[in-house]
């Protein structure tokens, strides 16, 4: 073969090699590379061609990773010294060993030059394959461990729709319970490994077609065939994972989760994820249930939530929220000593009770807007009463604990009161108990500042949450509002245990110098129990339900409940 023919043949082979390589998926060990290389290797008198990629150790790996691929092998393996082409890349070193056939003439310079060109071409393709693999990893996988990310999860959902299979699958949103404790016990690095083991175990019980996606931290989305529901539920409810720590070899991991069985009427991936996530949020806010299954009633709650959130700001603007006043009564003289301001929403001609919207508003800072609206309207009413010569009583306003994070809360409260020039002693702020230490410090500051400004404060719903004696003892509260759950119910008119507890709570409050009011006083029997236990402040249906302002103003004029109580007795 003369030079020209040789060149010509070589360029033809190189072109078809490139065309073949273009068709091969991005995988440097793909067997088709061997076929694509064969003709060229024969032409260049190569009997064996192997490539080694050495990825050096890094922060995650202590050992280098060595990947080997044999691209061509024909005849006896040659013992001769290979021609080696080495390339350094950012991802490591690539070494190509090219062996001549045994007993063959050594390659001349021309041939060596062509071999070089061929190997460099192969190297470029391999580099491209590696970067594409890396790209797909970065695009579709979680950075910490081998589960998918949201991009891939959405692709997977689209595929299910395309194949008309979506309605056989469950979309599940979950969060690992108290995972910070695992991090504290085993260390962060080991914590991540434990999380990975838990995730891999979950995939193992969820079927081959599952798709587990990490949203970040200990939040995940999962997708699996409905047949696997029970297995997944059981796994998420609690599983022991090897911890790698000799004296504490297992970590118990459990999750709180929602299941949404994907409906057949074609909806988008985002809608599916939203449904599972909204259901998850409803469960999280409404108690300690470990899981929630999306059904009609959950759908209704989500819809209610959407309506509240969408209409809230407009409703504030249109003053659709109305202050109702529930009287507080002194039990010796049955006189009116105060009132609690309670919110009602007049929307589309209906009066919506607070339990339908307060818990929803408490999920965002909207509740703060409402509480300040209420305080503002209460001050406005008190100002009017004073201006009209009515003898006003102290009105308590509920301030949600969500406010604890707000800066200058006492200052904002004081400024609102100042705006209407209302005497401070006519306002009381009701706050619920709190559990965390951070809240505690914040609460302490707020109560102290309000106290210094002459504004009364009360602990609302005492006995419902976790009561902390420190919380009561260390802060200058004025009143303890004892929850109605301490009162015996109609079915259980003389519950001695409840009454004993009530007695102790009342005497504890009094010994700490607090005033004591019992809520939910519904019957004269309740009134009698309070009086027997030296508690003389009550609020409840026995006297009045929360009243519209006009009705409350009548109470302000009358001042006494004696008539109504006597009539009942
Ligand atoms: P709360 O602060 O414990 O208010 C007392 C609730 O008990 C009121 O329910 C009242 O109507 C009810 N109640 C009063 N007397 C009796 C009784 O004798 N028997 C029974 N079974 N219930 C009685 P309401 O008005 O439905 O308010 C429910 C909750 O909504 C309130 O509980 C409070 O936590 C919240 N809320 C109401 N208005 C506001 C507000 O403006 N801001 C904030 N943050 N929360 C509010
Ligand atoms: Ca209250
Ligand atoms: Ca209460």
């Amino acid at each position: 073969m003369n030079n020209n023919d040789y060149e010509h043949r070589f360029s033809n082979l190189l072109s078809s090699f490139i065309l073949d390589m273009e068709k091969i998926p991005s995988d440097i060990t793909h067997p088709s590379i061997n076929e694509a290389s064969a003709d060229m290797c024969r032409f260049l008198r190569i009997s064996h061609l192997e490539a080694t990629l050495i990825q050096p150790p890094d922060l995650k790996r202590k050992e280098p990773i060595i990947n080997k691929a044999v691209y061509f092998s024909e005849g006896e393996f040659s013992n001769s010294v290979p021609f080696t082409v080495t390339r350094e890349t950012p991802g490591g070193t690539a070494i190509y060993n090219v062996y001549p056939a045994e007993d063959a003439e050594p390659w001349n310079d021309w041939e060596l030059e062509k071999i070089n060109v061929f190997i460099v071409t192969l190297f470029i393709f391999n580099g491209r394959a590696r970067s594409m693999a890396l790209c797909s990893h970065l695009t579709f996988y979680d950075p910490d461990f081998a589960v998918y990310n949201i991009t891939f999860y959405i692709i997977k959902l689209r595929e299910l729709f395309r194949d008309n299979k979506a309605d056989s699958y469950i979309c599940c949103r979950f969060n690992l319970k108290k995972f910070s404790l695992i991090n504290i016990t085993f260390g962060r690095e080991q914590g991540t490994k434990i999380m990975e083991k838990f995730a891999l175990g979950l995939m193992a019980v969820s079927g081959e077609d599952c798709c587990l996606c990490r949203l970040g931290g200990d939040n995940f989305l999962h997708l699996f065939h409905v047949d696997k529901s029970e297995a997944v539920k059981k796994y998420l409810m609690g599983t022991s994972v090897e911890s790698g720590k000799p004296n504490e070899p297992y970590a118990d991991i459990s999750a709180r989760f929602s299941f949404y069985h994907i409906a057949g009427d074609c909806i988008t991936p985002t809608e599916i994820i939203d449904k599972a996530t909204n259901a998850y949020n409803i469960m999280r806010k409404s108690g300690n249930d470990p899981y929630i299954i999306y059904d009609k009633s959950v759908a209704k709650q989500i819809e209610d939530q959407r309506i509240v959130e969408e209409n809230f700001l407009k409703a504030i603007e249109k003053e659709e929220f109305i202050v109702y006043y529930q009287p507080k009564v002194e039990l010796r003289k049955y006189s009116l000593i105060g009132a609690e301001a309670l919110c009602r929403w007049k929307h589309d001609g209906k009066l919506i009770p607070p339990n339908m919207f307060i818990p929803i508003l408490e999920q965002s800072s909207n509740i703060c807007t409402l509480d300040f609206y209420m305080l503002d309207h209460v001050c406005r009413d008190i100002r009017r009463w004073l201006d009209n010569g009515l003898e006003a009583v102290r009105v308590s306003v509920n301030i949600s604990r969500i406010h604890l994070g707000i800066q200058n809360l006492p200052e904002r409260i004081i400024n609102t009161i100042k705006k209407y020039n209302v005497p401070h002693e006519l306002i009381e702020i009701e706050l619920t108990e709190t559990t965390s230490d951070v809240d505690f410090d914040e609460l302490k500051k707020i109560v102290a500042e309000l106290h210094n400004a002459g504004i009364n404060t009360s602990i609302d719903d005492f006995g419902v949450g976790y009561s902390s004696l420190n919380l009561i003892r260390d802060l200058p509260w004025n009143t303890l509002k004892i929850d109605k759950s301490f009162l015996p119910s109609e079915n259980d008119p003389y519950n001695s245990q409840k009454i004993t507890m009530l007695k102790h709570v009342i005497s504890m409050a009094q010994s700490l110098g607090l005033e004591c009011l019992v809520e939910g006083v519904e019957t004269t029997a309740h009134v009698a129990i309070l009086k027997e236990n030296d508690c003389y402040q009550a609020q409840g249906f026995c006297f009045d339900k929360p009243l519209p302002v006009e009705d409350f103003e009548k109470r302000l004029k009358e001042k006494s409940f004696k008539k109504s109580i006597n009539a009942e007795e």
Side-chain angles (χ1 to χ4, degrees):
M1 213 183 297
N2 66 28
N3 273 4
N4 271 351
D5 287 349
Y6 190 89
E7 286 288 345
H8 190 67
R9 179 93 180 101
F10 176 72
S11 8
N12 280 348
L13 283 171
L14 194 65
S15 312
S16 57
F17 173 70
I18 290 172
L19 287 175
D20 286 348
M21 289 298 285
E22 283 284 358
K23 291 182 210 134
I24 296 170
S26 349
D27 171 4
I28 59 170
T29 56
H30 200 280
S32 303
I33 302 179
N34 301 28
E35 278 164 48
S37 318
D39 288 347
M40 181 65 102
C41 285
R42 288 190 189 106
F43 176 70
L44 293 173
R45 300 192 296 122
I46 296 170
S47 69
H48 297 275
L49 168 59
E50 61 180 31
T52 310
L53 177 72
I54 305 167
Q55 288 172 268
D58 62 17
L59 284 177
K60 277 192 176 171
R61 297 182 308 257
K62 297 213 165 47
E63 300 297 322
I65 294 185
I66 301 176
N67 267 318
K68 263 188 193 270
V70 174
Y71 289 131
F72 186 71
S73 172
E74 195 169 57
E76 288 287 301
F77 186 79
S78 155
N79 276 327
S80 47
V81 182
F83 173 62
T84 300
V85 180
T86 304
R87 290 267 154 173
E88 292 297 336
T89 76
T93 309
I95 303 166
Y96 292 83
N97 281 329
V98 187
Y99 294 87
E102 217 164 15
D103 302 330
E105 286 274 303
W107 288 301
N108 60 31
D109 286 351
W110 257 10
E111 283 176 308
L112 286 177
E113 187 198 314
K114 302 299 178 243
I115 289 173
N116 218 356
V117 171
F118 167 54
I119 297 300
V120 168
T121 313
L122 183 58
F123 168 80
I124 289 169
F125 273 101
N126 281 349
R128 189 182 75 156
R130 269 203 318 280
S131 24
M132 281 170 79
L134 187 67
C135 240
S136 112
H137 198 91
L138 290 178
T139 316
F140 298 129
Y141 283 85
D142 179 77
D144 288 333
F145 49 80
V147 298
Y148 294 107
N149 63 16
I150 187 77
T151 312
F152 188 83
Y153 192 85
I154 289 175
I155 291 177
K156 179 85 184 172
L157 278 173
R158 284 214 185 96
E159 279 175 11
L160 288 180
F161 276 121
R162 186 196 60 203
D163 302 341
N164 282 327
K165 286 184 183 162
D167 55 0
S168 306
Y169 283 78
I170 305 254
C171 172
C172 158
R173 169 86 161 75
F174 70 90
N175 173 271
L176 302 180
K177 271 198 220 164
K178 304 206 171 100
F179 203 77
S180 47
L181 272 184
I182 299 282
N183 281 335
I184 291 168
T185 315
F186 299 101
R188 247 198 123 71
E189 199 179 324
Q190 196 56 26
T192 309
K193 287 196 183 132
I194 291 172
M195 193 188 287
E196 180 175 25
K197 277 189 197 156
F198 181 80
L200 295 178
L202 176 61
M203 288 198 276
V205 300
S206 310
E208 288 213 327
D209 53 350
C210 76
C211 177
L212 178 58
C213 145
R214 185 172 175 216
L215 295 169
D218 55 358
N219 289 301
F220 293 82
L221 275 173
H222 194 25
L223 185 71
F224 51 88
H225 196 275
V226 296
D227 291 350
K228 299 290 178 191
S229 297
E230 282 311 310
V232 172
K233 196 190 279 177
K234 188 163 168 250
Y235 189 91
L236 290 178
M237 298 278 281
T239 296
S240 263
V241 174
E242 278 179 25
S243 73
K245 193 174 171 183
N247 55 348
E248 215 169 334
Y250 291 99
D252 290 324
I253 313 285
S254 60
R256 292 188 80 193
F257 55 94
S258 65
F259 277 8
Y260 168 57
H261 188 160
I262 300 173
D265 46 350
C266 195
I267 46 176
T268 63
T270 332
E271 277 175 283
I272 291 172
I273 296 168
D274 281 353
K275 285 198 156 116
T277 306
N278 288 339
Y280 177 82
N281 285 336
I282 288 213
M283 167 196 64
R284 200 163 53 96
K285 303 277 166 166
S286 62
N288 289 321
D289 291 344
Y291 67 88
I292 189 169
I293 310 280
Y294 185 100
D295 60 12
K296 274 192 189 142
S297 92
V298 176
K300 164 124 185 21
Q301 287 179 62
I302 293 172
E303 177 60 8
D304 289 347
Q305 184 162 338
R306 192 189 58 79
I307 293 174
V308 169
E309 277 162 1
E310 261 179 36
N311 289 289
F312 175 70
L313 287 177
K314 246 183 280 157
I316 286 276
E317 250 172 56
K318 295 201 305 211
E319 304 213 37
E320 288 183 358
F321 294 100
I322 298 173
V323 187
Y324 271 53
Y325 291 89
Q326 185 173 36
K328 294 177 184 172
V329 180
E330 202 282 337
L331 296 180
R332 274 172 287 224
K333 295 187 181 147
Y334 293 113
S335 58
L336 176 76
I337 47 162
E340 175 174 6
L342 292 156
C343 187
R344 303 288 180 265
W345 184 359
K346 197 166 186 181
H347 187 62
D348 283 345
K350 282 179 291 195
L351 208 58
I352 308 172
N355 62 347
M356 302 285 285
F357 58 89
I358 299 275
I360 297 171
L361 298 178
E362 278 182 335
Q363 289 176 29
S364 67
S365 60
N366 280 339
I367 189 66
C368 307
T369 311
L370 180 73
D371 285 347
F372 272 102
Y373 171 104
M374 289 288 288
L375 178 64
D376 187 274
H377 284 61
V378 164
C379 290
R380 203 168 74 180
D381 283 345
I382 296 180
R383 182 73 260 153
R384 199 183 55 249
W385 299 334
L386 294 173
D387 291 347
N388 291 345
L390 278 173
E391 206 181 313
V393 289
R394 178 182 300 145
V395 177
S396 60
V397 175
N398 290 284
I399 293 285
S400 162
R401 66 165 69 196
I402 312 288
H403 286 272
L404 294 188
I406 283 192
Q407 283 225 314
N408 314 333
L409 176 66
E411 200 183 321
R412 285 187 61 190
I413 292 175
I414 294 163
N415 285 343
T416 310
I417 303 173
K418 215 189 244 169
K419 183 171 144 197
Y420 293 95
N421 196 18
V422 164
H424 288 190
E425 67 272 15
L426 288 183
I427 295 292
E428 176 173 320
I429 299 295
E430 293 194 11
L431 290 153
T432 47
E433 296 169 82
T434 176
T435 47
S436 83
D437 293 346
V438 184
D439 287 356
F440 185 88
D441 286 343
E442 192 62 36
L443 196 63
K444 200 167 175 174
K445 240 175 67 198
I446 293 167
V447 174
E449 279 183 50
L450 291 173
H451 175 80
N452 291 340
I455 297 166
N456 277 22
T457 49
S458 50
I459 307 174
D460 198 4
D461 299 341
F462 180 79
V464 173
Y466 295 90
S467 312
S468 143
L469 256 182
N470 290 347
L471 170 90
I472 302 168
R473 200 190 45 210
D474 295 352
L475 275 54
W477 301 100
N478 299 90
T479 307
L480 188 71
K481 290 191 82 180
I482 301 172
D483 188 70
K484 54 180 170 286
S485 54
F486 284 93
L487 290 171
S489 62
E490 219 179 313
N491 315 332
D492 187 12
Y494 198 88
N495 183 323
S496 59
Q497 206 183 1
K498 276 190 178 175
I499 294 174
T500 309
M501 280 173 73
L502 180 67
K503 190 193 205 117
H504 286 299
V505 172
I506 293 170
S507 73
M508 175 206 69
Q510 284 166 348
S511 66
L512 289 170
L514 288 173
E515 288 185 30
C516 207
L517 177 146
V518 179
E519 299 183 279
V521 175
E522 290 184 345
T523 60
T524 45
H526 287 161
V527 173
I529 293 169
L530 297 199
K531 288 172 122 177
E532 275 161 28
N533 290 290
D534 275 343
C535 174
Y536 294 99
Q537 292 189 24
Q539 177 185 339
F541 298 165
C542 178
F543 306 100
D544 270 320
K545 294 196 165 168
L547 304 170
V549 66
E550 312 80 54
D551 293 349
F552 181 67
E553 283 172 6
K554 284 182 203 144
R555 288 289 187 216
L556 272 182
K557 287 172 194 153
E558 283 168 18
K559 285 268 155 135
S560 171
F561 289 82
K562 201 149 193 142
K563 268 184 274 164
S564 51
I565 281 288
N566 285 343
E568 257 188 64
E569 270 171 354

